[in-house]
Amino acid sequence: MATVQVSEAEKVYILHGVRDDLRVDGRGCEDYRHMEIETDVVSNTDGSAKVSLGHTDVLVGVKAEIGKPRPMVPHEGYLEFFVDCSANATPEFEGRGGDELGVELSNTLYKVFNNRSSIDLKSLCISPGEHCWVLYVDVLLLQCDGNLFDAISVAIKAALFNTKIPKVHLSENEEGGKEIELSDDPYDCMRLNVENVPCIVTLCKVGYRHVVDATLQEKACSVASLIISVTHKGTITCVRKVGGGSLDPESIFEMTEVRQDPPPPYSSSCHLPFRPSQHISTGFPVRRSNCNRFV
Amino acid sequence: MPVDTKRVRGPEVSQSPSLFLCKTAANKSFTQKDARVDGRQRGQVDVRSVFVRCGLISQAKGSAYIEAGNTKLICCVYGPREMERKDETDMKSGRLMTDMRFAPFSCRERGSWIQGSDEKDLSLMLLESLRPGVCLHKYPRSQIEVNVMVLENDGSVLAHAVTCASMALADAGIEMYDLVLGCSIRQESATYLIDPTYLEENGCNLASGSGDNFGSLTVAFLPSLNQISGLQSDGEMGEDILTGGVRTCIEGCFKLYPVIQQALTKAVRRKAPPSEN
């Protein structure tokens, strides 16, 4: 991950602050930074979203293509993730530098979505064993200021919500083979149900406490972090410990409890087409601009 | 995507025979019976018995071989070696490099020699699990290489790789805070299967689609220090199921600990020069 150099005095300052539930920018330990989500930003894609979480910027584009289903699961389509850490984010990512981080992020995304209920893959099937929709989810890191996993997961959820998959008609041609026709009407499309798409929460262990949405400085003071991917129902789809330190089992149990915060008041007030998971919704203002509302 | 251009794998439309096999195998019910296929119990901390031996590879500084059921892994450690001066910032402590590979004949489907993203992911998890256990500050400007090769994959590979790697590190004389042991568990709605075999890990996915609490969890644990150094879970589980699974894995690690200790002491005695009486 892109790192900053932090002096010993700064580390002590951050540690003492976290101990007293006061971080460098004035947030509490469980507060997120200001987040902005925009959907439908790239017109060439079938769905796209851009998320800004503090100074971290992530752009996600989803393209739907027709492909052959996987041999073991002929009745389902699938998703392919690719994360590109561009050199815009930090100079460390120049050339092949960002590849390692990109591979780590993509592999985690595969694990997060590796279950039955996140996305209804059966709805992506066109004809079993022969054709299915493959959703290529491409993530571009524009700016990196810590907490990449959270921003990426929210952006993917927004982009999948925004994805419009054209409706197809199967017909038989003269030789008996199947022909696929896409409807001409650009509004005749299928939308995905993203209610169960999980969001990732990263908890960094700083000193004896854990912080949510760590900046790069706080990350430099922590030895280990726990990445938890959780749906709005509270089901955990993926847990992963990253970093070179070790964690006490009790602190891991504490961290998994933190996610169970009460549902936010704002999700009922503003008409959100999708409801983020319970934890993320606690306390941070989400401004939706330029998003097209579909009835 | 790197492609293996040196081997001809048959025409493009060829399919593996195991695709046609899996339909009949899935009929064998993995229902909530008490006994698993190899006679162990569900819902109990019943890890497979392991055979471990250190010091197999004479060229390597340290090596270890582990067999758990049909899962066979071998690990060798080289180092500490001088590190090429890539960046000057990291000179105060050493670096640990891990590499985990599957032999092409290890899984049901023939794998390729080129490292796929799965193997890279497993190598990264292995690195994160081992790093807290090794005293890297005692080896400044050096790198220690750990290479794990999976000879046969019959489930819970990452967990056994962690155990094997830490034994190899101990055999190489690298200073460590504690041994790192790994244990994995497969959650199936109400019960769990500890140390699952390959069929138990993958077969359940196809057989039962609905219902929640299906997932797998791997934990790397330092027993004397009571610290978790690696944690990875997959599938969907509730929070209490997850914490219960972590506790079960910790119990499994404690069960393995005396066996590993015994194997290491035997290896040390073998290596020690015979005492003059």
Side-chain angles (χ1 to χ4, degrees), chain B residues 196-266:
Chain B
T197 61
Y198 187 79
L199 277 175
E200 286 168 351
E201 265 179 0
N202 298 336
C204 310
N205 237 348
L206 305 170
S208 37
S210 62
D212 30 283
N213 290 331
F214 277 94
S216 40
L217 171 67
T218 305
V219 171
F221 187 61
L222 287 86
S224 327
L225 300 174
N226 196 30
Q227 296 272 308
I228 290 182
S229 65
L231 177 63
Q232 175 177 283
S233 95
D234 213 352
E236 30 183 7
M237 289 184 266
E239 179 221 335
D240 38 356
I241 308 280
L242 185 71
T243 45
V246 174
R247 290 206 167 92
T248 314
C249 283
I250 292 180
E251 264 185 62
C253 288
F254 275 120
K255 279 206 170 179
L256 266 183
Y257 199 31
V259 177
I260 309 288
Q261 279 177 319
Q262 220 180 22
L264 271 175
T265 43
K266 258 198 221 165

Side-chain angles (χ1 to χ4, degrees), chain B residues 125-191:
Chain B
M125 279 297 305
L126 186 62
L127 174 66
E128 282 170 359
S129 307
L130 289 175
R131 210 150 65 160
V134 181
C135 304
L136 283 172
H137 61 277
K138 299 231 170 167
Y139 301 98
R141 296 171 163 207
S142 326
Q143 69 185 25
I144 301 168
E145 286 166 19
V146 177
N147 300 313
V148 176
M149 171 71 84
V150 180
L151 299 172
E152 191 174 338
N153 177 9
D154 194 27
S156 55
V157 198
L158 181 60
H160 292 302
V162 169
T163 312
C164 190
S166 57
M167 282 188 64
L169 281 165
D171 187 48
I174 308 280
E175 293 192 44
M176 295 168 75
Y177 292 111
D178 192 7
L179 279 176
V180 189
L181 300 178
C183 188
S184 71
I185 197 177
R186 168 92 196 159
Q187 183 72 36
E188 266 186 4
S189 48
T191 60

Side-chain angles (χ1 to χ4, degrees), chain A residues 140-194:
Chain A
L140 192 61
L141 287 188
L142 300 170
Q143 240 191 16
C144 178
D145 190 26
N147 208 16
L148 291 171
F149 281 103
D150 298 31
I152 289 176
S153 69
V154 174
I156 288 182
K157 186 162 180 158
L160 285 173
F161 166 74
N162 180 240
T163 305
K164 299 181 267 302
I165 301 177
K167 287 217 175 108
V168 290
H169 303 286
L170 281 174
S171 55
E172 300 255 332
N173 61 12
E174 298 90 39
E175 288 97 39
K178 294 224 174 85
E179 241 185 45
I180 298 183
E181 285 163 17
L182 270 83
S183 57
D184 286 332
D185 184 6
Y187 289 104
D188 181 23
C189 53
M190 175 176 86
R191 304 294 293 270
L192 291 169
N193 179 11
V194 293

Side-chain angles (χ1 to χ4, degrees), chain A residues 67-116:
Chain A
K68 211 164 175 332
R70 295 217 167 106
M72 300 291 272
V73 274
H75 294 273
E76 295 177 355
Y78 55 96
L79 281 83
E80 293 268 3
F81 295 98
F82 180 71
V83 179
D84 185 32
C85 307
S86 76
N88 292 327
T90 81
E92 283 173 21
F93 291 161
E94 202 183 11
R96 309 294 306 256
D99 276 359
E100 251 186 58
L101 177 60
V103 166
E104 191 191 330
L105 290 167
S106 329
N107 283 333
T108 312
L109 288 172
Y110 276 116
K111 287 212 158 46
V112 164
F113 282 85
N114 181 22
N115 55 59
R116 300 245 138 212

Side-chain angles (χ1 to χ4, degrees), chain A:
Chain A
M1 188 90 65
T3 48
V4 290
Q5 302 281 3
V6 178
S7 70
E8 287 301 318
E10 274 184 277
K11 271 192 198 162
V12 169
Y13 178 69
I14 292 176
L15 248 72
H16 284 178
V18 166
R19 199 180 54 191
D20 297 329
D21 200 21
L22 186 63
R23 290 155 75 172
V24 173
D25 44 13
R27 291 181 281 156
C29 283
E30 291 171 16
D31 290 339
Y32 268 80
R33 288 172 284 185
H34 175 77
M35 184 188 282
E36 283 185 26
I37 308 175
E38 275 181 60
T39 55
D40 214 21
V41 281
V42 181
S43 52
N44 280 338
T45 58
D46 296 308
S48 59
K50 178 172 179 294
V51 166
S52 306
L53 178 61
H55 285 298
T56 303
D57 280 334
V58 169
L59 178 63
V60 171
V62 177
K63 284 198 90 80
E65 291 186 10
I66 298 182
K68 211 164 175 332
R70 295 217 167 106
M72 300 291 272
V73 274
H75 294 273
E76 295 177 355
Y78 55 96
L79 281 83
E80 293 268 3
F81 295 98
F82 180 71
V83 179
D84 185 32
C85 307
S86 76
N88 292 327
T90 81
E92 283 173 21
F93 291 161
E94 202 183 11
R96 309 294 306 256
D99 276 359
E100 251 186 58
L101 177 60
V103 166
E104 191 191 330
L105 290 167
S106 329
N107 283 333
T108 312
L109 288 172
Y110 276 116
K111 287 212 158 46
V112 164
F113 282 85
N114 181 22
N115 55 59
R116 300 245 138 212
S117 53
S118 297
I119 289 270
D120 185 16
L121 294 172
K122 290 202 164 60
S123 64
L124 296 176
C125 177
I126 302 172
S127 75
E130 289 173 5
H131 300 108
C132 70
W133 284 111
V134 181
L135 295 179
Y136 290 98
V137 180
D138 297 301
V139 181
L140 192 61
L141 287 188
L142 300 170
Q143 240 191 16
C144 178
D145 190 26
N147 208 16
L148 291 171
F149 281 103
D150 298 31
I152 289 176
S153 69
V154 174
I156 288 182
K157 186 162 180 158
L160 285 173
F161 166 74
N162 180 240
T163 305
K164 299 181 267 302
I165 301 177
K167 287 217 175 108
V168 290
H169 303 286
L170 281 174
S171 55
E172 300 255 332
N173 61 12
E174 298 90 39
E175 288 97 39
K178 294 224 174 85
E179 241 185 45
I180 298 183
E181 285 163 17
L182 270 83
S183 57
D184 286 332
D185 184 6
Y187 289 104
D188 181 23
C189 53
M190 175 176 86
R191 304 294 293 270
L192 291 169
N193 179 11
V194 293
E195 227 189 21
N196 281 328
V197 170
C199 285
I200 299 181
V201 180
T202 308
L203 295 141
C204 275
K205 188 108 173 46
V206 179
Y208 288 117
R209 298 193 59 163
H210 48 260
V211 298
V212 159
D213 193 17
T215 58
L216 285 179
Q217 282 86 5
E218 286 160 348
K219 198 119 207 301
C221 304
S222 91
V223 288
S225 339
L226 201 64
I227 290 172
I228 305 181
S229 135
V230 59
T231 64
H232 74 103
K233 287 194 201 124
T235 328
I236 302 180
T237 61
C238 174
V239 178
R240 221 180 134 134
K241 176 233 147 212
V242 290
S246 59
L247 293 167
D248 209 70
E250 292 306 322
S251 34
I252 291 186
F253 300 149
E254 215 184 282
M255 286 187 193
T256 48
E257 272 172 31
V258 167
R259 313 165 13 269
Q260 301 282 30
D261 279 346
Y266 88 103
S267 78
S268 47
S269 55
C270 56
H271 175 65
L272 285 183
F274 71 92
R275 290 194 307 132
S277 76
Q278 291 176 352
H279 180 114
I280 286 192
S281 322
T282 309
F284 71 83
V286 173
R287 195 192 315 151
R288 295 183 59 85
S289 47
N290 286 358
C291 71
N292 303 320
R293 294 233 210 107
F294 287 91
V295 183

